[in-house]
Amino acid sequence: MTDQIPTPTSTPPSSGDHDGAQLHTVELTVNGRTSTVQVPARRLLSDALRVDLGLTGTHVGCEHGVCGCCTVMIDGLAMRSCLTLAVTADGRDIRTIEGLADDDGTLHPVQQAFRECHGLQCGFCTPGFLMTSVALLEHNPDPDDEQITEAIAGNLCRCTGYQNIKAAVRRAAELTGEGNQ
Amino acid sequence: MTTASFGQPIRRNEDQRLVTGQGSYTDDVGPDAWALVIVRSPYANARILSIDTSEAKALDGVIAVWTYDDLPGRLSEPLPLLIPHPSLVAARTQDVLARDRVRHVGQSVVAVLAKDRYIGEDAAE
């Protein structure tokens, strides 16, 4: 992936009018589907996903990289979409919670496991935990307890107390293992 | 739920949508929703000498800027104590927006309503 800056459009910036700030054309590839959006340079990726693309499954909690709710996968790595500018995601491969289940509705093993193990209550932090867990298991299909704790340490949940979430990640590893046999 | 479920974990009906990103939270109501941004006190204990909201109000896309002085009627009174307990002899509740002084860091002082969050935060700054 190149880090080239997207080409600004010819829209002239009008002074003092924030809606008229210079717009940049950004190609966002989300869950395999590419969309072109026009965004101001300061638009966060989280807002681009939620507002421009209407994918409200990615949640915004603290907006400064503490809570992990906005975690998405960018080129296979779990990243905070609230600390990523939409323009820097141009051309990258983004995965969000909406892309985890199959088209026929079959849940991803991580989604199944969170459901089975009661790894969620209110569900607000869940998209972040799911994307973090998917990224963990894709890099390490059989993590031990310490590695799971370490991996989810960047996500906050105010309901479950983490034990069920850790059980869910372990269960997801099992389900993924079974699926691969 | 029947007695057959006793001692069994029970799957929750809502989890299907929550794990697939189909939940609907307040922030998901619509991309055109206006945003309220609160300016909060950076001081633990301080008098409010003056607040100048003119620059914030002048920004394009700002719908309203409120301070304590703009609150009409009952909104300018401290919030009601919904369940008064008899042992509370001098119950106090907070004002919606700080009146004359702030008493903790993070106390709400000014409320900005704007077309979107970015404009609201510009105005709040």
Side-chain angles (χ1 to χ4, degrees):
Chain A
M1 186 52 231
T2 57
D3 282 313
Q4 69 189 109
I5 299 161
T7 326
T9 64
S10 55
T11 315
S14 59
S15 60
D17 178 0
H18 292 262
D19 285 329
Q22 189 169 13
L23 296 177
H24 301 268
T25 304
V26 180
E27 243 181 37
L28 292 177
T29 304
V30 183
N31 304 323
R33 192 174 303 166
T34 303
S35 322
T36 306
V37 293
Q38 303 265 326
V39 296
R42 65 177 178 171
R43 172 85 91 230
L44 301 173
L45 177 59
S46 51
D47 289 332
L49 292 171
R50 292 175 49 82
V51 178
D52 295 302
L53 300 183
L55 296 172
T56 54
T58 299
H59 292 158
V60 175
C62 69
E63 281 187 292
H64 58 220
V66 175
C67 75
C69 290
C70 66
T71 305
V72 298
M73 284 169 71
I74 303 176
D75 291 341
L77 296 173
M79 289 193 188
R80 302 274 201 257
S81 62
C82 79
L83 295 184
T84 307
L85 293 170
V87 290
T88 64
D90 184 54
R92 296 191 184 226
D93 178 37
I94 303 163
R95 286 173 68 194
T96 70
I97 184 164
E98 287 92 345
L100 287 185
D102 288 343
D103 287 339
D104 66 4
T106 309
L107 295 181
H108 186 282
V110 173
Q111 291 172 312
Q112 279 180 41
F114 269 71
R115 215 184 148 192
E116 258 179 49
C117 302
H118 295 262
L120 65 150
Q121 284 182 36
C122 84
F124 192 85
C125 69
T126 307
F129 271 101
L130 292 179
M131 299 318 291
T132 302
S133 307
V134 171
L136 166 69
L137 295 176
E138 284 184 4
H139 291 95
N140 179 1
D142 187 24
D144 62 31
D145 283 0
E146 203 173 312
Q147 289 165 328
I148 294 173
T149 305
E150 178 66 25
I152 64 167
N155 291 68
L156 300 181
C157 171
R158 302 281 69 180
C159 301
T160 65
Y162 304 105
Q163 296 308 318
N164 287 356
I165 293 176
K166 284 158 70 176
V169 179
R170 277 194 295 275
R171 178 72 185 132
E174 273 173 36
L175 287 172
T176 312
E178 286 167 15
N180 290 340
Q181 274 164 15
Chain B
M1 184 171 143
T2 65
T3 50
S5 318
F6 284 7
Q8 303 278 329
I10 296 166
R11 290 209 179 178
R12 305 194 312 161
N13 295 330
E14 61 269 45
D15 284 355
Q16 175 75 24
R17 63 185 164 83
L18 296 180
V19 297
T20 50
Q22 305 303 313
S24 188
Y25 296 81
T26 313
D27 199 22
D28 303 336
V29 291
D32 299 329
W34 293 346
L36 186 74
V37 179
I38 306 286
V39 181
R40 296 179 181 279
S41 169
Y43 304 108
N45 192 359
R47 276 193 302 277
I48 299 172
L49 299 179
S50 68
I51 301 175
D52 182 359
T53 59
S54 57
E55 214 180 318
K57 281 177 177 158
L59 270 184
D60 229 16
V62 171
I63 292 147
V65 181
W66 293 294
T67 65
Y68 173 80
D69 293 335
D70 303 313
L71 300 176
R74 290 195 60 192
L75 277 178
S76 64
E77 297 167 21
L79 294 164
L81 192 62
L82 295 180
I83 307 170
H85 192 277
S87 66
L88 295 173
V89 288
R92 296 281 182 87
T93 58
Q94 307 176 46
D95 285 304
V96 178
L97 294 171
R99 170 191 203 164
D100 303 330
R101 68 181 305 142
V102 288
R103 290 190 170 80
H104 65 89
V105 170
Q107 187 172 348
S108 47
V109 180
V110 183
V112 178
L113 185 65
K115 289 228 170 107
D116 71 36
R117 197 50 203 276
Y118 291 79
I119 298 168
E121 291 199 7
D122 280 347
E125 278 173 15

